Amino acid sequence: RFELYQLSKAGKLSVPAMNVNDSVTKQKFDNLYCCRESILDGLKRTTDVMFGGKQVVVCGYGEVGKGCCAALKALGAIVYVTEIDPICALQACMDGFRVVKLNEVIRQVDVIITCTGNKNVVTRDQLDRMKNGSIVCNMGHSNTEIDVASLRTPELTWERVRSQVDHVIWPDGKRVILLAEGRLLNLSCSTVPTFVLSITATTQALALIELYNAPEGRYKQDVYLLPKKMDEYVASLHLPTFDAHLTELSDEQAKYLGLNKNGPFKPNYYRYRALISQNGKDA
Amino acid sequence: RFELYQLSKAGKLSVPAMNVNDSVTKQKFDNLYCCRESILDGLKRTTDVMFGGKQVVVCGYGEVGKGCCAALKALGAIVYVTEIDPICALQACMDGFRVVKLNEVIRQVDVIITCTGNKNVVTRDQLDRMKNGSIVCNMGHSNTEIDVASLRTPELTWERVRSQVDHVIWPDGKRVILLAEGRLLNLSCSTVPTFVLSITATTQALALIELYNAPEGRYKQDVYLLPKKMDEYVASLHLPTFDAHLTELSDEQAKYLGLNKNGPFKPNYYRYRALISQNGKDA
Amino acid sequence: RFELYQLSKAGKLSVPAMNVNDSVTKQKFDNLYCCRESILDGLKRTTDVMFGGKQVVVCGYGEVGKGCCAALKALGAIVYVTEIDPICALQACMDGFRVVKLNEVIRQVDVIITCTGNKNVVTRDQLDRMKNGSIVCNMGHSNTEIDVASLRTPELTWERVRSQVDHVIWPDGKRVILLAEGRLLNLSCSTVPTFVLSITATTQALALIELYNAPEGRYKQDVYLLPKKMDEYVASLHLPTFDAHLTELSDEQAKYLGLNKNGPFKPNYYRYRALISQNGKDA
Amino acid sequence: RFELYQLSKAGKLSVPAMNVNDSVTKQKFDNLYCCRESILDGLKRTTDVMFGGKQVVVCGYGEVGKGCCAALKALGAIVYVTEIDPICALQACMDGFRVVKLNEVIRQVDVIITCTGNKNVVTRDQLDRMKNGSIVCNMGHSNTEIDVASLRTPELTWERVRSQVDHVIWPDGKRVILLAEGRLLNLSCSTVPTFVLSITATTQALALIELYNAPEGRYKQDVYLLPKKMDEYVASLHLPTFDAHLTELSDEQAKYLGLNKNGPFKPNYYRYRALISQNGKDA
């Protein structure tokens, strides 16, 4: 997705592309709601850790971080957050998490979870200072968030105790438990509920159908977001699972709100659109 | 704000305008975080109701509705949600609320709270079916969400029991407790924390400064959102209150993410901008 | 109640007494459930403080402390607990609170709430170290938990800013906000829901009826707890308010569990009884 | 434990016995805190179910039921409770759960969890009415809570889809997912954290030491609860894991409270003791 936008910016995109990853429904499910459950599942299956009373630091308070924080707090962990973005940091405050620099809590936490999309968020220097028996894992983009390479040095011993679980052993006997060698915990050590797959597959299928059926000229060689109405359609297809009943607008109400009774239901200025145009005039 | 966009669409806006209401920081504080507290405060000060075990229906699951639902659930109420938008409805499901039509629960709920921005969300017909002693109030846009006018008929008696609290009495003796005559509960019956006012005032002041200082031509006769960076600035000014410590990007990390070390911290396609242009080419 | 047990121990109780305060239903309602709501209400009405992001220390993790902690955490505060009893301390850990000594957090907290039943839990020395603008209040037994007397010295200025709210001003201008002069916040600055009063009044009335109707000799000059069955009766009288439907045991199930179909529903070793007998043979 | 009390009642207990199961620390850990985590773990490992939005009924609101309800609610499930005891039912109300009879929700729930200690809590008749794809499992005492025997009839097909997971298939194709053949989910399909084992083992060891070391005559041929002070000792041994710091009473405070500075910390009438004496004079 990131690469698509870079191609688009460089004028090298040869076909229209649909950024399904940032459709609201997929975003929330793949990231927030799915990770809220898979962080617990991934940690339990690999380490059988008890969550109650554990001190955990979550690096990054985007959708993934929000999901991880909510779940762990709900099960009695004490959760700290690190952030680079002041808006997300303020959200973390309001949601009841202390916002700290990693170094402030590195000696006391039992678990580190990275969800930043950044690299070297946990450095060797910090791993050196972690407690014996602490756990470090990654729920973010790639396997670079934890500087795992820095742990492959002669003075440290690696012991594979179980599939996806390594004990990294310091000369003084301290053990840090590294999960999935720093790759994504939710993909490596947890399962994805079929419900989430259904949301994702539906979104992708609808995007392809839209691109295929769209009249000539609707989409240029650019990156687009799924039209709001289709995003709503994906959601509405999944409501019966929960026996959820939508309220319908009366004619009078639709007119009052300036909306079509069948959606899209957010006023135009909520709509998602191709957010980077090729000609750069946008900002 | 709504009117500004209509003026803009009609080409009648004579100066640039900044939609501060939809800046992220203000949105979250004025709506989500502030309402999470003021719904409790407003209900307590007017009715002394105990929240534990009460059945409540919240109409609308936008930012205000989310705040109300979260607070009431946290204090032991059983909360139902009504929605017209399938995306918001699915979010309500995932957050643990049953999504119903108002008529399904109208006879059993103890409290109705409207947060829709719509009109006639609670009709006379529905008020007729509410339980004796139930409470109805509005946290939404205007005083039209509850059809209060329909209650001003000869067969119903109004009894003012306290400032902002009316008992509307049916011929059979049933009483429905109407708060603030259907006007905004959070403004009428609760106070706004100074912290929220500070966020709002800072945002407005920065918007004015930006419009005043901007070089000729940066803003046309249109409606703009506060530049992301300023939104971040408002947030960062309020972090010390919480003793929150931001993490700073290293040069290497900033380069990896393609960001400036001082923000804005979200990639371009997260940026908020003037979302409706006058010439209509936008969609 | 405490005095009753002391009289009983000294053999000076001249009539049977019923300790209604420790009946399960009353305990939970007067303390846990009621305080969960009144701590929020009391703080809002007096100070309009925003809870989100605030650092709060709750001294004592009994029923009252548990209620205060749960409510404040739910609304986004960061809550610390102090305890003397290791069992309660371990419960606080498992519920997600850091257990600290007051001195560890005294300089950083925005609010101190005492719920211990003890005296001088917050000392002048500690009040001296609190932040400007911090709030101190008491939800516990008596007005001795905060050493208020120590604040009545010439170098400190008291300023009454509102009913039940004093600013105590240090020579350097620092202000600490003292609520209700250290008396019970929930009684002084909040209201008690009628539902809680109903539970309490029902319990007291039933206790009197039981003592009056009891056959000669059932109760001696000692302190008794309300018979479990009556406690259950109080609860069952209040279930219809919540439209709650009890499940009834089948004959076969009652036999399997060794219970009477109409209760009491807990096996004998859950029963509450006079726990201190006069003759001291009890332990 | 139950059997011990029956033996004691019958005067057939030949040695003193310590009921460690009802010591506070063990109770809370084995039941409330452990089950809060193992219900999620057990369901995930066997069925990969997504919790968000699921309708769940929990039969029994004791410690185990409370743990299950809290965890599932926290992850976005909509939870109903069934109870026979009005006190527990009222607690469920105040904690935000609708109290229903199983038949009221049997057709709509996605998951049934039994935690009653009772038998035939879920009958064949009720299993017949469950939805296709719904899950039924047991977290209670024994494998009799779900009437599994009634499902072993010719018209139903059993399909083992995975270890501990059976699909029971009705003639019309409806499948109900039965976990662990109705045996304890937490023992069969989840792991017990070492922390919980440590609490349990410590409690048992201390009980044995106490019985062995006790002076002649302290314990008779009866069932005793672990002395409060030892219960506190178990807890205090586990506090360093959480870096929890106990507050110590000053001499003055200890005197005020009438307590020994080293505990036990609850006034006498909180103490747990042998609750059924052989001679039956107790009530």
Side-chain angles (χ1 to χ4, degrees), chain C residues 103 106-107 124-131 174:
Chain C
N103 284 340
I106 191 75
R107 287 186 187 284
R124 169 64 191 269
D125 181 53
Q126 288 162 330
L127 291 158
D128 283 345
R129 283 177 285 147
M130 293 187 74
K131 282 197 305 193
K174 181 185 91 168

Side-chain angles (χ1 to χ4, degrees), chain D residues 12-225:
Chain D
K12 291 185 181 160
L13 203 63
S14 54
V15 292
M18 201 70 97
N19 168 5
V20 291
N21 193 62
D22 285 322
S23 73
V24 187
T25 312
K26 182 169 179 313
Q27 261 288 341
K28 293 285 179 185
F29 273 87
D30 256 30
N31 297 343
L32 179 63
Y33 297 124
C34 191
C35 290
R36 182 175 66 177
E37 306 199 1
S38 59
I39 182 62
L40 302 180
D41 192 27
L43 285 172
K44 271 288 190 215
R45 289 197 207 214
T46 50
T47 67
D48 295 326
V49 67
M50 190 173 200
F51 303 121
K54 287 291 183 302
Q55 293 191 60
V56 181
V57 61
V58 174
C59 302
Y61 200 65
E63 296 285 315
V64 173
K66 284 180 174 75
C68 293
C69 286
L72 290 162
K73 183 186 186 183
L75 290 182
I78 295 152
V79 182
Y80 304 93
V81 165
T82 72
E83 249 302 338
I84 60 165
D85 179 335
I87 293 180
C88 297
L90 199 54
Q91 283 186 290
C93 291
M94 298 308 292
D95 293 342
F97 303 105
R98 294 222 54 197
V99 177
V100 298
K101 297 192 185 197
L102 186 50
N103 284 340
E104 295 178 62
V105 294
I106 191 74
R107 287 187 187 283
Q108 79 195 59
V109 292
D110 300 289
V111 187
I112 295 183
I113 301 165
T114 56
C115 328
T116 65
N118 199 347
K119 74 178 200 180
N120 293 345
V121 173
V122 185
T123 63
R124 169 64 190 269
D125 180 52
Q126 288 162 330
L127 291 159
D128 283 345
R129 280 177 287 148
M130 292 187 74
K131 281 198 304 194
N132 181 38
S134 54
I135 298 168
V136 58
C137 65
N138 170 37
M139 293 281 289
H141 257 3
S142 64
N143 62 349
T144 58
E145 305 211 11
I146 303 159
D147 187 2
V148 174
S150 74
L151 292 173
R152 302 198 185 277
T153 51
E155 78 277 21
L156 302 185
T157 310
W158 285 55
E159 189 180 320
R160 161 97 3 157
V161 297
R162 177 184 313 189
S163 167
Q164 307 286 0
V165 184
D166 289 290
H167 282 191
V168 182
I169 309 170
W170 267 251
D172 65 355
K174 180 185 90 168
R175 285 163 186 255
V176 166
I177 303 165
L178 174 68
L179 303 184
E181 298 182 58
R183 293 185 309 276
L184 270 82
L185 182 72
N186 40 338
L187 297 188
S188 307
C189 311
S190 163
T191 58
V192 177
T194 51
F195 189 80
V196 173
L197 288 181
S198 170
I199 296 263
T200 302
T202 310
T203 306
Q204 289 169 338
L206 282 175
L208 286 173
I209 293 169
E210 167 72 11
L211 285 176
Y212 187 82
N213 284 344
E216 185 81 25
R218 179 185 291 172
Y219 297 106
K220 308 193 188 105
Q221 289 155 350
D222 203 345
V223 185
Y224 292 88
L225 278 164

Side-chain angles (χ1 to χ4, degrees), chain A residues 9-281:
Chain A
K9 226 172 177 171
K12 289 184 182 162
L13 202 63
S14 55
V15 292
M18 201 71 97
N19 168 3
V20 290
N21 193 62
D22 285 323
S23 73
V24 188
T25 313
K26 181 170 180 314
Q27 262 288 340
K28 293 285 179 185
F29 273 86
D30 257 28
N31 299 343
L32 179 63
Y33 298 124
C34 190
C35 291
R36 183 174 65 177
E37 306 199 1
S38 59
I39 183 62
L40 303 180
D41 193 27
L43 285 171
K44 272 287 190 214
R45 290 197 206 214
T46 50
T47 67
D48 295 326
V49 67
M50 191 173 199
F51 302 121
K54 287 290 182 304
Q55 293 190 61
V56 181
V57 61
V58 174
C59 302
Y61 200 65
E63 296 285 315
V64 173
K66 285 180 173 77
C68 293
C69 287
L72 289 162
K73 183 185 186 183
L75 290 182
I78 294 153
V79 182
Y80 304 93
V81 165
T82 72
E83 248 302 337
I84 60 165
D85 179 336
I87 294 180
C88 296
L90 200 54
Q91 283 186 290
C93 292
M94 299 307 294
D95 293 343
F97 303 105
R98 292 223 56 197
V99 177
V100 298
K101 295 193 186 197
L102 185 51
N103 284 339
E104 296 177 60
V105 293
I106 192 73
R107 288 189 187 282
Q108 77 195 61
V109 291
D110 301 288
V111 186
I112 296 184
I113 302 164
T114 55
C115 328
T116 66
N118 200 348
K119 73 177 199 181
N120 292 345
V121 172
V122 185
T123 64
R124 169 65 191 269
D125 180 54
Q126 289 162 330
L127 291 158
D128 283 345
R129 282 177 286 148
M130 293 188 74
K131 283 198 303 194
N132 180 37
S134 54
I135 298 168
V136 57
C137 65
N138 170 37
M139 293 281 289
H141 256 5
S142 63
N143 61 349
T144 60
E145 305 211 10
I146 303 158
D147 187 1
V148 174
S150 74
L151 293 172
R152 302 199 183 278
T153 51
E155 77 276 21
L156 302 185
T157 310
W158 286 54
E159 187 180 320
R160 161 93 11 151
V161 297
R162 181 186 308 190
S163 168
Q164 308 287 0
V165 184
D166 288 290
H167 283 192
V168 182
I169 310 170
W170 267 250
D172 64 355
K174 181 185 89 168
R175 285 163 186 255
V176 166
I177 303 165
L178 174 67
L179 303 184
E181 300 182 56
R183 293 186 308 276
L184 271 83
L185 182 73
N186 41 338
L187 297 188
S188 306
C189 312
S190 162
T191 58
V192 177
T194 51
F195 189 79
V196 173
L197 288 181
S198 170
I199 297 262
T200 302
T202 311
T203 307
Q204 289 169 337
L206 282 174
L208 287 173
I209 293 169
E210 167 71 11
L211 284 176
Y212 187 82
N213 283 344
E216 184 81 25
R218 179 185 289 174
Y219 297 106
K220 305 192 190 109
Q221 289 156 350
D222 203 345
V223 185
Y224 293 87
L225 280 163
L226 199 65
K228 185 74 171 54
K229 188 155 179 179
M230 256 179 244
D231 214 348
E232 293 180 353
Y233 185 54
V234 174
S236 69
L237 287 171
H238 289 85
L239 286 177
T241 307
F242 302 110
D243 194 27
H245 306 150
L246 276 186
T247 299
E248 282 161 41
L249 290 174
S250 68
D251 291 334
E252 187 202 7
Q253 289 177 325
K255 196 176 156 200
Y256 176 75
L257 295 172
L259 295 176
N260 185 307
K261 283 176 71 172
N262 301 312
F265 292 103
K266 291 289 172 274
N268 266 349
Y269 53 91
Y270 266 81
R271 206 179 344 153
Y272 296 89
R273 4 162 317 219
L275 289 169
I276 298 174
S277 71
Q278 286 181 303
N279 53 18
K281 279 200 217 126

Side-chain angles (χ1 to χ4, degrees), chain C residues 36 83 85 94 98-99 101 104 119 243 245-247 252-253 266 269 271 273 275 282-283, chain D residues 36 83 85 94 98-99 101 104 119 243 245-247 252-253 266 269 273 275 282-283:
Chain C
R36 182 174 66 175
E83 250 301 340
D85 179 336
M94 298 309 292
R98 293 222 56 196
V99 177
K101 296 192 185 197
E104 296 177 60
K119 73 178 197 180
D243 194 27
H245 306 151
L246 276 187
T247 299
E252 185 201 8
Q253 290 176 324
K266 291 289 172 277
Y269 52 90
R271 208 181 341 158
R273 4 161 318 219
L275 289 169
D282 226 37
Chain D
R36 182 175 66 177
E83 249 302 338
D85 179 335
M94 298 308 292
R98 294 222 54 197
V99 177
K101 297 192 185 197
E104 295 178 62
K119 74 178 200 180
D243 194 27
H245 306 151
L246 276 187
T247 299
E252 187 201 8
Q253 289 176 326
K266 290 290 172 274
Y269 52 91
R273 1 161 322 219
L275 289 168
D282 224 37

